[in-house]
Amino acid sequence: ARQIQAKTAQRCYRALVHGYLSPPVGTVTAHLARNPLLRNAVRVVPAHASGARVATTHWRVLATANAPPPEAGRFSLVQLALETGRTHQIRVHLSHLRHPVVGDPFYAKGVLPPKARWAHQGQLLQAFSLTFTHPLSRAAMQFELPPCPRLCEAARWLGVSWEG
């Protein structure tokens, strides 16, 4: 927890998002605060707003594809790294960029997900990597997960050869 707070631990995520993120590598920094109208939601606010806390997310596009006929839509598989760890940070930042996470119940409202079964089983966002220094031994520790089955299924559905 101290390393996350000191920004020395690294956390990476994968997600399927609506649209093509451009440029393919980038950073979003925006101030976030609780939404007073929706207690469990967060929103981007001006720096001087009450409760505003800066948040930074880096992205890298892994693959892009169009949905197969008869559906329309463009999608990107992305890798995301956090500098900060705010509530709903990735989801809010991607929605702010107009590329919400597929299946996100709060921040992708009004954006229709694909009709595929996997797209209606929750958001397609996966924490997959954690790197930190062991607090006692000082050894570098890295833990990674393979892509979750739903992200792999989404990639196959889009015709993308991607397994992480």
Side-chain angles (χ1 to χ4, degrees):
R2 282 189 213 113
Q3 291 178 49
I4 289 172
Q5 192 173 32
K7 301 178 185 174
T8 58
Q10 294 149 358
R11 297 151 298 157
C12 291
Y13 297 76
R14 297 180 181 111
L16 179 69
V17 302
H18 291 274
Y20 291 170
L21 267 167
S22 182
V25 176
T27 299
V28 58
T29 298
H31 287 78
L32 306 180
R34 291 273 178 199
N35 185 336
L37 303 176
L38 297 169
R39 189 180 178 290
N40 293 329
V42 176
R43 63 185 180 161
V44 172
V45 297
H48 63 275
S50 175
R53 297 178 71 192
V54 70
T56 301
T57 304
H58 305 282
W59 78 80
R60 181 169 59 92
V61 174
L62 302 172
T64 59
N66 291 324
E71 296 188 54
R74 295 176 172 185
F75 299 90
S76 298
L77 288 162
V78 296
Q79 182 170 307
L80 303 133
L82 301 178
E83 273 189 34
T84 51
R86 309 288 180 228
T87 301
H88 299 185
Q89 175 177 325
I90 291 172
R91 298 164 59 197
V92 173
H93 275 165
L94 289 169
S95 181
H96 179 68
L97 294 172
R98 293 181 169 66
H99 297 286
V101 174
V102 171
D104 190 320
F106 278 136
Y107 305 107
K109 286 193 175 173
V111 181
L112 295 175
K115 292 181 179 142
R117 179 183 48 82
W118 50 262
H120 298 277
Q121 297 173 344
Q123 60 193 339
L124 284 166
L125 174 65
Q126 175 194 21
F128 82 92
S129 175
L130 174 64
T131 305
F132 62 93
T133 302
H134 191 282
L136 299 177
S137 70
R138 296 294 184 218
M141 308 290 291
Q142 182 172 13
F143 301 91
E144 283 198 20
L145 293 172
C148 71
R150 287 182 49 236
L151 277 174
C152 290
E153 190 175 346
R156 283 191 299 275
W157 181 80
L158 291 167
V160 174
S161 175
W162 176 74
E163 295 296 324

